[in-house]
Amino acid sequence: MALIAVIDYDMGNLHSACKGLEKAGATPKVTGSPKDIERADALVLPGVGAFDPAVQHLRSRHLEEPIKAAIAGGKPFLGICLGLQILFDGSEEGTESGLGIIGGMVRRFRSEPGLTIPHMGWNRLQLTQPNHPVWQGLPENPYVYFVHSYYVDPIDPDVRAAMVTHGSQTVTAAIARDNLVAVQFHPEKSSDNGLKILSNFVAQVTPNYAIA
């Protein structure tokens, strides 16, 4: 069975992410070890909280380069919520540089009359890469669960895999490029649709039996 490293950097709800992956048929291992990241068949980077502490925690644990190397080496990668945002160059929320794996910035929702910030609750996805493997078997415009005040704004529009509309603002809800997928919503809190997304991700992971 494939081993999926759930990266622990003190910024994620690791328990719910692991439970979702277990339901999807994976064997998740919570770890903050660069060696475990190197050995794993796939990576999941969850995250809840603020941008600056997240990247500071990753760097203080020497996890930035192992994550970049795993993604560059073709390992399946799933980022969740803050785990999406820190892949970008930087954020309006803080001053730290992000990992720079995806070009672009993290921006705050603009205030507008009647708009609640954070964007919290169930909302429909507009799939812009509808044939991507992680979306297979989902209903049209599936409902998923969001909790965020900031959203990613990629330079390359082609990396957008899904959008979401909050008030009058339509923003990126997920990105996908090669082996990397990252989502702003919480699949582990998104009922059957979220479980399907996690199952689709797990189905792409091939165990590496050559590694002891």
Side-chain angles (χ1 to χ4, degrees):
M1 188 174 289
L3 176 63
I4 297 180
V6 179
I7 299 171
D8 181 6
Y9 60 115
D10 289 342
M11 294 296 293
N13 187 348
L14 302 176
H15 177 73
S16 60
C18 285
K19 293 297 285 185
L21 288 165
E22 287 170 358
K23 286 183 181 177
T27 303
K29 178 178 182 178
V30 175
T31 181
S33 162
K35 286 187 177 179
D36 285 342
I37 290 171
E38 186 179 339
R39 293 189 189 109
D41 300 307
L43 307 182
V44 174
L45 182 65
V48 177
F51 187 92
D52 278 7
V55 292
Q56 289 165 358
H57 288 189
L58 273 178
R59 287 177 175 136
S60 70
R61 288 161 173 76
H62 308 291
L63 297 175
E64 179 176 9
E65 292 311 317
I67 290 170
K68 287 181 174 179
I71 292 171
K75 223 168 253 194
F77 176 94
L78 174 64
I80 298 173
C81 195
L82 189 59
L84 157 69
Q85 295 180 3
I86 60 180
L87 301 176
F88 281 69
D89 294 322
S91 173
E92 293 179 351
E93 185 180 15
T95 58
E96 291 281 348
S97 60
L99 301 190
I101 295 167
I102 303 293
M105 289 293 292
V106 181
R107 308 196 185 280
R108 196 177 195 277
F109 280 107
R110 299 187 314 275
S111 295
E112 59 182 68
L115 186 74
T116 302
I117 302 173
H119 171 213
M120 182 180 296
W122 295 87
N123 206 336
R124 286 182 178 272
L125 292 179
Q126 303 150 40
L127 303 180
T128 50
Q129 293 186 29
N131 297 321
H132 193 280
V134 294
W135 305 139
Q136 298 314 296
L138 292 175
E140 188 175 359
N141 302 123
Y143 276 103
V144 292
Y145 189 80
F146 289 86
V147 184
H148 65 125
S149 301
Y150 294 80
Y151 62 90
V152 297
D153 183 16
I155 292 170
D156 179 5
D158 290 342
V159 305
R160 294 184 181 122
M163 308 293 286
V164 66
T165 299
H166 184 46
S168 68
Q169 300 169 62
T170 298
V171 302
T172 302
I175 63 168
R177 187 180 71 190
D178 301 326
N179 52 300
L180 181 152
V181 178
V183 300
Q184 183 61 68
F185 56 89
H186 287 273
E188 76 280 8
K189 298 179 181 177
S190 297
S191 191
D192 290 347
N193 289 337
L195 181 60
K196 184 61 177 171
I197 290 167
L198 291 175
S199 297
N200 287 340
F201 174 74
V202 170
Q204 298 178 72
V205 181
T206 302
N208 186 352
Y209 295 112
I211 296 177

